[in-house]
Structure formats: C-alpha cells, structure tokens
Amino acid sequence: MFVFKDYIGIGTLQCYVNHFGYQLHLVNMTDNPRYSKLCNQTDHFFMRHCILSTFLEDNKDTIDYALIIDADIGVINPCHTIQEYIDPEESVEVVFYERYYNHEISAASYFVRNSEYSRKFMHFWADYFYRLPQSFHGTDNGAIHQVFMELHFNDEKQKMQCYNMWNASRNFDDLFAYQACTKNALNISSTLFVNGTIRLLRKLTPGWVRDGWLTGTKWAPQDFMFHGWKKSKLNGEWRWPFANDFHVSECSYLDPYFPNFKYLSEFVSNNTEVMTLLTRKVKEVETTYYKTLIDRNILCKNGLIPINGFCI
C-alpha cells in the first residue's frame, strides 16, 4: 500500500491521475523559500491557501482549473472525471461543499477556476489569519464562514451579525453554533453567493467528495472521493475498502480496467442505499440546527426572528 506519512489515500490519487492524464501536485509548503516569504501566516491551515494561490498564479498558463484537496482524501470510485464538477454557471469561480455531520462549509477541498478573482479570494481567506478573534475560532474552517459573510453582504451590520458568537466561542459547540448562525444568515436554501461567483454544494447534492465514515465506508456509483483517510484512524473511523494494495507503477494511461481498484464486496453499495443513509444523517443534523438557532436566540420557536432579543 502506498503510504505518505499518515495519509494512505495518496496512491489512489496518483493511480487516478495516471489513468486520465491529469496533473497532480503535492505542494510541500517548506520546499520553496519564495512561498515562505510571500506567505508568512504562522498557522499552516491559512498559509496553504496563500501558497496555493501563489502556485496557481505561477502556473496560470498551464492550469485552467484546480481541485484542491487535503492529504487525507482519496479516490473511492475512479469512474468520474474532474470536468464533471466544473460549474455550469459561467460566473462561478469557486465551489465549496457543505459537510453532512454539522453546519460547516468545508475547508478540506474546494474547486477553483484559475482566475485572478479566485486567487484573490484565496489570499483574502488566507489573510484572515491576521484578523482572527481571540477565541476557539476553528482556524481556516471557522474563518471561511466569516469570509462568506463579509464578501456576500454589503451592509456592515449584516456582515457582522454572527461575529460576536465567533468572538465568544470557547469550544466546538460554540463554533458549530456560530456556523449555524452564518448558515441561517446566508439563507439555507441558497447555493450561489457573492454575486454568483461562489457556489456552495448543499447536503445531499452529490459533489466530488464527502466523509466516507458517514456510510460506514460504503460507496455508490455517485461517489468519487472520500475524506478522512488517515492511517491513524484506519479500522476505527473507516476501513480500507480495497482488496489489494496500490501499485502506482501499474496505473497506466486510459487503462479501461482500473486494475488497482479491486473492492471488498461489503463496501460496494448503490445510490439508493447511500442516499438513504445520508438523508438520515441530514435529518438528525437539521434537528440540531434548528434547536441551536432557538437555544441561541437566533430564531424563535415559531420560526420568526427575535425583535430586540425577544420572541413574541
């Protein structure tokens, strides 16, 4: 099995890109002194967005679109192309996805057009490091919610309507409540933001990646990539779904058989079963979402917004 420190899904990615002829760049943030000079955020979660923006600028003549993924993401089903996830709306520059188990916009992976707009967006996100509140802020995954708020709304009051919750956050419950507040403010039914330049794939919208543990590592044809493939969590949070080790040297261009992708039958499912499992999780999270809004006095029990902090 291909092992890259704690991340054992890298082999599936290398095999996948060899098949389709895509570029795969493993960007080491310490390899290029220029990156360290240009991107001096001391939190590497923020630094990576700055470095990736710089990397895309350096390669703007050869890279039109980039799928940015964490190292613990692997390919579960290679029968998808990257092109499937290019947004049909020409105005969309960046695509994010919403996680299933909470109210979070994920920072684990996002899809960008390699444009000046996208690169500036990534720098804006990276530079939020310098504006973080002195709280349990959730690093870049907390900050992306405030980035959405500040870029989407024009009115200062609207931009900052959830900020006090983030500023006062002391634990994951507080952080998730802040994220619920931003979700409510941004309209839970909306998918386009910042004048149509940012897309957010909502729960139950098949995107390119999701957390595999949500379905006990079961996958369906609609799935493409799984998040959370850390060796340290193997056989606990997730299982290795393949019947073999990956030998990247055997992954050849346009090989129609995908010889390395041999699956354990217990994890092979169908779209109906997987969607049933995911829908069950969504209903659980929706319950906690509305309870959080009511408990934090963001919404009243009748669904109305409190007036001067009071429900009538």
Side-chain angles (χ1 to χ4, degrees), residues 48-64:
R48 60 178 173 161
H49 306 300
C50 175
I51 289 176
L52 289 168
S53 178
T54 305
F55 175 83
L56 290 178
E57 171 71 24
D58 292 344
N59 293 276
K60 62 184 178 183
D61 294 330
T62 58
I63 297 176
D64 296 322

Side-chain angles (χ1 to χ4, degrees), residues 188-204:
I188 62 170
S189 62
S190 296
T191 62
L192 285 173
F193 303 92
V194 197
N195 297 318
T197 60
I198 311 294
R199 173 83 71 184
L200 176 60
L201 299 180
R202 296 293 190 179
K203 295 176 175 66
L204 298 178

Side-chain angles (χ1 to χ4, degrees), residues 82-94:
I82 301 296
Q83 289 89 330
E84 290 176 43
Y85 305 97
I86 295 176
D87 200 277
E89 294 287 340
E90 291 187 4
S91 64
V92 173
E93 302 280 352
V94 188

